[in-house]
Amino acid sequence: MDILKFRKDVLVVLACCVLLIIGAVGMEWLRTDHAKKPAAVVTTFKGDPMTSRAFTWYSSNSEADAIVQVVKGDAANDWESEQVLTFKGMTATVIPEDGSLKQAVHKAEASGLEPGTTYSYRVGSGEEKGWSAAAVFQTEVADKDKVTFINVTDSQGVTEQDFSLWGNTLDKAFAAFPEAAFIVHNGDLTEEPSDEQAWTYLFEKASKWVTQVPFMPVTGNHDEVDGNAEPFVSHFNLPDNGAEGSIPGTNYSYDYGPVHFVFLNSESNIKEQTKWLRSDLENTDKAWKIVAMHQGPYGVNTYKKVKDWTELFDEFEVDLVLQGHNHEYSRSYPLRDGKIVGDGEAAVQNREGTVYVVTNTAGQKFNEKKEDKFYHKVHFQNEKQMFAGIVINGETLTYQAYDVDGKKRDEFVLEH
Ligand SMILES: [Fe+2]
C-alpha cells in the first residue's frame, strides 16, 4: 500500500516537472518569437521625400539584419512578387541605461522610389517571423506648391497613461488635418531619455500615425542631457546634413514642396550651428522657410543663447519659428530686429517679420501661465493638449491651433 502511494506521488511530481518544462520551453519559444518582431517602428525623411523613405525599429536580436521591403499599392499581400523592392540597412546594439534588456536598433532606407506614389512596406530581419505588420506611405508629389503638416511638442511622459494623452492628441490632429504629410515634434519626447519603457509607449500609442507619416523630431533638453542624445538619435533615421560637431540626427534640414525646413538643436553646438545656419539658409531657393527648435528666443521664456540665430532669421526672412519647452500656448507678433512689425491680426505680408509659436503641449504636463512679454500677441494656458495644422498653399501659409476637444484656439496667416 505504502509503495503504491509512493509510486503515485512520484508520478505526480514527475508529471508536474514535465508540465513545468513544457511551459518554460513554450514561454521561451514565444519570447524568442516575440523578440524577433520589430517594435517602436517609425518612419522619417532622410533623403529626398519624393524618392525615398527611412525607417527605424527596435528588436531584441542584435544579430538580425535590418531589411525594409516596399511594393507599390496600399494592399500588399504578396511579398514574394517580383515587384517587391528590398533594401538592407544597419543594425546596432543599444544598452539602455535603465537596466532593461539589451536592445538592437535597426535602420534602413528605401530609395529610388517614384514621386507621388503609394507604397506598402514591412520592416524586419528577413526571417519568416521577424517582419512587422505591413503599413502604407506616400512619396511626395513632384512640383507641388502645397503642403500640410502637423506641429506638436513636449509629449514628455513617463507612464502609459501619459502617452495615451499624446496618442489622443495625434488622433485629433489627423482627424482635423487628414492630408498632413508629416509631423514636426518640437522636442522633449519623453521625460527621461534613458527610460526605454517610455519610448516604447511613445511609439506604441502613436503607431498608426508614425509608421505611415514621417515623424520629424527636434532635440529638447529632455532628449539631450549632459551632451548625451543616444536614446533619442537611436530611435530615428534622420538627415545627417547638420553642422560640424552636432550629434548626427539633432540638427538637419530638408525640403518639402515649397518649404525649406530647418531643425536646430538648442541644447549643444550652438556656435557651429550658427555658421551652418547661414550657409543652409543662403543655399535654399525655396519660397518658404520654417525653423523648428526646442528652447526658443520668443516663447514664454527668452532663450538668450540663440540670439545669433534670430539675427539670421531676420536676415534671411524666415517666415515661422516653431518652438517647444514652455508647456503654454504662445504666439508672437511678427518680429524683426527684436521689434514688433505688424498688428498680429492682419496677414503678415511679404516676409515683413517672423512669427514665433509654442503650441502648448501634446502631453500631460502644463506649466502655470507666466507673465506676458512685450512680443506676445496670444498667450494662454488652457490646460488641454494642443496641436497645430500648418497649410502652405502657393503664396499663403495658414496656421491653426486646436485643443484636443476640437476648439480652435488660434489662427494666423502669412502671405508672400
Ligand atoms: Fe518640455
Side-chain angles (χ1 to χ4, degrees):
M1 192 67 179
D2 277 356
I3 287 176
L4 278 179
K5 185 173 183 301
F6 176 72
R7 280 187 178 165
K8 197 175 161 197
D9 287 350
V10 168
L11 281 174
V12 168
V13 169
L14 277 175
C16 286
C17 286
V18 168
L19 282 174
L20 278 172
I21 290 165
I22 290 170
V25 169
M27 288 294 285
E28 180 58 20
W29 182 75
L30 278 176
R31 198 189 67 77
T32 317
D33 246 24
H34 183 71
K36 288 179 182 169
K37 286 279 176 206
V41 180
V42 57
T43 184
T44 47
F45 298 132
K46 185 178 176 76
D48 184 343
M50 284 187 234
T51 56
S52 65
R53 186 60 82 76
F55 305 89
T56 308
W57 64 101
Y58 270 40
S59 80
S60 305
N61 185 0
S62 48
E63 305 297 313
D65 285 335
I67 294 173
V68 56
Q69 290 191 315
V70 302
V71 63
K72 276 189 201 171
D74 60 3
N77 52 20
D78 179 10
W79 292 101
E80 305 301 321
S81 141
E82 280 184 8
Q83 312 303 317
V84 173
L85 304 170
T86 300
F87 302 88
K88 195 169 169 188
M90 302 279 289
T91 292
T93 304
V94 181
I95 301 173
E97 284 174 27
D98 67 355
S100 59
L101 281 176
K102 186 175 80 175
Q103 307 266 346
V105 55
H106 312 278
K107 296 188 181 188
E109 188 177 15
S111 57
L113 307 178
E114 291 177 25
T117 304
T118 300
Y119 288 90
S120 297
Y121 80 91
R122 62 179 187 169
V123 298
S125 62
E127 292 175 53
E128 196 189 333
K129 290 188 172 159
W131 292 109
S132 66
V136 171
F137 68 88
Q138 279 168 321
T139 49
E140 181 191 348
V141 177
D143 302 323
K144 207 174 170 208
D145 68 350
K146 186 178 177 194
V147 59
T148 298
F149 69 97
I150 284 166
N151 181 221
V152 284
T153 190
D154 292 86
S155 39
Q156 208 177 324
V158 177
T159 66
E160 184 171 8
Q161 174 59 25
D162 294 343
F163 287 103
S164 293
L165 294 169
W166 141 253
N168 180 53
T169 308
L170 277 191
D171 290 349
K172 298 295 167 59
F174 279 95
F177 298 97
E179 71 282 26
F182 53 93
I183 303 158
V184 172
H185 187 306
N186 267 80
D188 284 2
L189 281 73
T190 68
E191 173 69 25
E192 169 54 59
S194 66
D195 175 6
E196 193 50 45
Q197 181 63 61
W199 289 98
T200 304
Y201 292 140
L202 174 92
F203 292 112
E204 258 176 29
K205 299 296 178 185
S207 66
K208 71 176 156 220
W209 308 117
V210 303
T211 57
Q212 318 216 38
V213 180
F215 179 24
M216 305 303 287
V218 171
T219 315
N221 56 305
H222 287 259
D223 305 310
E224 180 179 331
V225 179
D226 298 331
N228 178 14
E230 194 61 31
F232 172 87
V233 296
S234 293
H235 272 293
F236 298 99
N237 195 1
L238 295 166
D240 182 16
N241 58 357
E244 207 171 297
S246 281
I247 300 168
T250 65
N251 162 217
Y252 55 90
S253 63
Y254 64 92
D255 292 338
Y256 197 103
V259 188
H260 182 60
F261 288 90
V262 182
F263 283 58
L264 295 168
N265 178 2
S266 56
E267 307 312 308
S268 65
N269 203 35
I270 285 173
K271 268 205 168 142
E272 280 297 324
Q273 283 183 86
T274 310
K275 281 191 236 165
W276 172 87
L277 179 61
R278 171 173 287 284
S279 71
D280 184 76
L281 291 172
E282 261 169 7
N283 284 316
T284 182
D285 56 2
K286 291 288 175 184
W288 294 92
K289 299 177 191 95
I290 296 179
V291 169
M293 59 198 291
H294 185 66
Q295 303 197 58
Y298 298 106
V300 176
N301 301 323
T302 309
Y303 190 53
K304 297 208 168 53
K305 285 187 186 173
V306 297
K307 187 171 176 304
D308 291 349
W309 293 356
T310 59
E311 288 171 12
L312 293 172
F313 301 159
D314 291 338
E315 185 179 337
F316 291 94
E317 299 178 321
V318 167
D319 297 282
L320 177 63
V321 177
L322 305 170
Q323 311 164 110
H325 190 62
N326 297 125
H327 301 245
E328 297 175 50
Y329 186 85
S330 167
R331 190 244 292 186
S332 79
Y333 290 97
L335 301 171
R336 173 67 49 85
D337 297 329
K339 295 186 185 69
I340 294 169
V341 292
D343 68 5
E345 299 283 345
V348 178
Q349 299 287 340
N350 299 319
R351 307 174 175 89
E352 63 191 340
T354 304
V355 179
Y356 296 76
V357 295
V358 179
T359 310
N360 205 331
T361 171
Q364 48 82 34
K365 181 185 170 192
F366 301 105
N367 285 348
E368 197 173 314
K369 181 176 176 284
K370 297 195 181 63
E371 270 182 25
D372 294 339
K373 298 276 173 58
F374 77 92
Y375 51 78
H376 273 134
K377 168 62 183 170
V378 183
H379 179 203
F380 60 82
Q381 178 53 278
N382 54 335
E383 304 217 341
K384 284 190 199 305
Q385 289 79 33
M386 291 185 68
F387 59 86
I390 295 146
V391 181
I392 296 111
N393 192 356
E395 307 286 282
T396 306
L397 179 152
T398 308
Y399 168 104
Q400 299 169 83
Y402 286 84
D403 67 31
V404 282
D405 292 339
K407 185 169 177 195
K408 192 189 284 183
R409 297 300 313 245
D410 194 18
E411 177 170 351
F412 61 87
V413 173
L414 315 180
E415 276 174 5
H416 279 178

